[in-house]
Amino acid sequence: MVSAVKLHLYRVSSSSSDVVFSQGALERIGASEGEHLTFQIGACHRFSGKTAVTPERSASLGLPADVFDEYGLALVDGLHVRREGDTIHIGPTIGIMCSGKFDPERRHQQGMLAYAHDCGYIAYLFAPEDYNWASNTITGETMAGHRQPGLPLPSAIYNRIHTRSEEQKLRVGAVKNRMRALGAHIYNPGFFDKWEVHEHLIQGQKLRKYLPETHRAPTPELLKRILARHDSAYLKPVDGRGGKFLMRLSKLERGYRLQWLTGLSCLHADFVQLQDAFEFAFSHASVDQYLVQQSLDFSAFDGRAVDCRVQMHKDISGTWRCLMIAPRARAHGGISSQLEQGADLVDPEAYFRNAYGKQAADVQAAVEECAFAIANCMDDYHTSPIGELGLDIGVDKGGCPKLLEINAKPGRMIFLDPRHDEARTATLQASIDYGAYLSGFGRKAG
């Protein structure tokens, strides 16, 4: 990783095209006075200039007035500069691509902007429709209530478009493809297909111990075999999110019970014959769009089944970090650990101690080990970089972790609990730091 220098930024008021460095700054980036260089801001905006030196300022960089004004650099006090060949990169420039001004994650996004500005980064929020195809610039929100046109195309783009339907729109795909072609790094490229993820992970021999028995396109015969080995099985849409359209099929003393989520409710119906339960479950759904997964003998807290949301984020060195383990106790009789479905957050220390006693620390370490193994394997899942993962990991009564699901764009509702405020801050900072890493302004791991 090329080291960068943070410099105070100011506007050169004269009509000169010189780029003015303090003496020490020029030496630190390996340049000399009078050298003609290319300067780049963001993914593709470049200008040429001759280096000049001023003795009056320490650790400073003065940019020509037209450049300074064009890219709205008055909004940042300092930026980072690094040299690569004959090009001086100024930045980093990080864009947070969201769903517009009514995005439900606005509070979290504003926190990321504040952190980025404190670090000396150019950062802003934008929606795909804010991209100007003719100038390759963006109209972005640089601070609450302030939108500015003409901002440079970011060198790194944090994709937080939060719905699958919005992500799949043709214009969104076209904008992302254009930005990649111009050199922008888009991290968290899109939503995952549960079956494709399972097929990817199952190739790793060391990961198989973390994966529940899972099959695509359930049939009555397959369900019968799974229910002969387990008390119940989950039916999950391959492109589902937030527990939507989730079902669970359980054995009764006589017959079967099918439970399903609808809105904020969990409904159920009982059947004598498995075939009848199967036909009811898929009367309005395609079997090919579902997978079936064995249930687990979950550990419990206060008599309620628990699984853990584990937040994995890459940092400024591009290294995975485990920033939160948040146990969630399901509602009594519920089939989902989503907070919207009545689940409650449980204090991690209380959960592990209550469920595993003297083995609590070892079990929690096993959950982290599982999370790191999964995250590292997911690096090869997509050609675009992945900067965050929300892993749902269940732990059985023996203390063995199992991966239930991977969330490509984990929701932020869990951070409404004040117990996770420190983790909330850490995740928003990591999301920006990873953008700096992708832009070439990262640090060595250590």
Side-chain angles (χ1 to χ4, degrees):
M1 184 62 61
V2 179
S3 60
V5 180
K6 186 176 182 180
L7 303 176
H8 170 72
L9 197 66
Y10 67 97
R11 181 178 186 269
V12 177
S13 58
S14 70
S15 59
S16 171
S17 62
D18 287 354
V19 179
V20 184
F21 288 86
S22 58
Q23 182 63 51
L26 196 63
E27 293 173 357
R28 288 175 65 187
I29 65 168
S32 56
E33 185 176 6
E35 195 172 357
H36 288 270
L37 296 169
T38 298
F39 296 82
Q40 180 168 327
I41 301 175
C44 61
H45 295 278
R46 300 176 180 86
F47 66 95
S48 297
K50 184 179 70 173
T51 60
V53 174
T54 175
E56 299 177 2
R57 296 174 181 265
S58 61
S60 63
L61 172 65
L63 293 180
D66 56 345
V67 174
F68 191 90
D69 295 339
E70 181 179 359
Y71 296 121
L73 297 178
L75 297 170
V76 291
D77 177 63
L79 280 177
H80 300 256
V81 177
R82 65 180 178 87
R83 180 169 184 170
E84 189 174 339
D86 289 333
T87 300
I88 303 295
H89 295 269
I90 303 172
T93 306
I94 301 169
I96 305 166
M97 185 162 61
C98 55
S99 300
K101 61 182 179 179
F102 299 113
D103 194 292
E105 298 180 352
R106 179 65 61 193
R107 172 174 171 261
H108 194 81
Q109 294 163 351
Q110 295 291 352
M112 285 190 282
L113 283 186
Y115 172 72
H117 293 159
D118 287 345
C119 291
Y121 304 161
I122 302 173
Y124 53 83
L125 306 176
F126 74 98
E129 55 267 27
D130 293 327
Y131 174 60
N132 186 318
W133 289 74
S135 63
N136 292 319
T137 60
I138 290 175
T139 299
E141 181 179 333
T142 55
M143 61 184 69
H146 179 80
R147 283 171 56 81
Q148 179 169 323
L151 292 166
L153 180 67
S155 49
I157 298 170
Y158 176 35
N159 180 11
R160 280 302 296 189
I161 294 178
H162 71 281
T163 66
R164 195 179 291 265
S165 59
E166 181 73 15
E167 186 91 68
Q168 291 174 340
K169 290 181 178 178
L170 291 177
R171 62 175 174 79
V172 175
V175 167
K176 290 197 297 184
N177 289 338
R178 174 68 177 270
M179 289 176 171
R180 286 194 189 98
L182 291 170
H185 300 278
I186 301 179
Y187 51 115
N188 301 351
F191 293 91
F192 297 153
D193 177 295
K194 291 182 177 64
W195 179 248
E196 289 181 358
V197 168
H198 177 78
E199 289 280 85
H200 174 72
L201 296 177
I202 202 73
Q203 302 303 315
Q205 292 290 337
K206 294 181 180 180
L207 297 182
R208 294 188 177 186
K209 63 180 179 180
Y210 299 128
L211 305 179
E213 180 182 357
T214 305
H215 303 274
R216 180 75 182 266
T219 64
E221 294 75 18
L222 175 60
L223 289 172
K224 186 174 182 179
R225 292 197 301 271
I226 292 177
L227 292 176
R229 297 189 292 272
H230 310 283
D231 290 335
S232 62
Y234 282 89
L235 300 166
K236 298 181 176 183
V238 295
D239 60 355
R241 186 175 186 234
K244 194 174 182 180
F245 305 122
L246 177 70
M247 297 182 279
R248 182 171 72 180
L249 184 64
S250 307
K251 288 187 296 186
L252 301 175
E253 186 175 344
R254 293 184 179 180
Y256 303 88
R257 170 165 292 179
L258 181 70
Q259 296 169 275
W260 66 94
L261 298 181
T262 172
L264 300 178
S265 301
C266 181
L267 306 180
H268 75 271
D270 294 340
F271 302 87
V272 175
Q273 300 296 327
L274 179 59
Q275 181 69 36
D276 294 336
F278 179 84
E279 291 178 1
F280 183 88
F282 293 103
S283 57
H284 298 291
S286 171
V287 171
D288 291 338
Q289 294 304 308
Y290 269 77
L291 54 81
V292 56
Q293 189 175 84
Q294 72 166 90
S295 63
L296 298 177
D297 187 15
F298 287 105
S299 56
F301 187 87
D302 193 25
R304 301 158 65 185
V306 173
D307 66 36
C308 298
R309 166 58 60 86
V310 182
Q311 288 284 150
M312 301 294 295
H313 285 255
K314 284 182 182 168
D315 62 12
I316 199 164
S317 68
T319 304
W320 283 111
R321 305 291 185 196
C322 178
L323 298 184
M324 183 182 72
I325 297 178
R328 302 173 298 184
R330 298 180 183 181
H332 288 288
I335 64 173
S336 169
S337 58
Q338 296 293 324
L339 301 182
E340 298 91 333
Q341 296 291 334
D344 291 316
L345 292 172
V346 180
D347 179 75
E349 183 178 350
Y351 160 64
F352 284 106
R353 184 179 63 248
N354 178 273
Y356 301 104
K358 295 181 179 180
Q359 302 302 314
D362 291 338
V363 174
Q364 184 167 347
V367 172
E368 286 197 30
E369 181 181 342
C370 169
F372 277 106
I374 298 296
N376 286 320
C377 185
M378 287 300 293
D379 279 336
D380 298 325
Y381 174 73
H382 204 283
T383 55
S384 294
I386 297 174
E388 69 180 334
L389 295 169
L391 307 182
D392 293 339
I393 295 177
V395 190
D396 65 22
K397 292 178 180 178
C400 298
K402 295 283 187 180
L403 176 70
L404 305 178
E405 191 165 327
I406 300 181
N407 300 277
K409 299 182 183 181
R412 307 299 184 189
M413 187 174 180
I414 201 165
F415 294 117
L416 295 177
D417 189 302
R419 287 173 295 187
H420 296 304
D421 194 57
E422 185 177 337
R424 184 191 78 85
T425 300
T427 59
L428 69 85
Q429 291 178 353
S431 297
I432 293 297
D433 285 343
Y434 185 55
Y437 167 80
L438 292 175
S439 302
F441 292 87
R443 302 176 193 147
K444 292 182 179 179

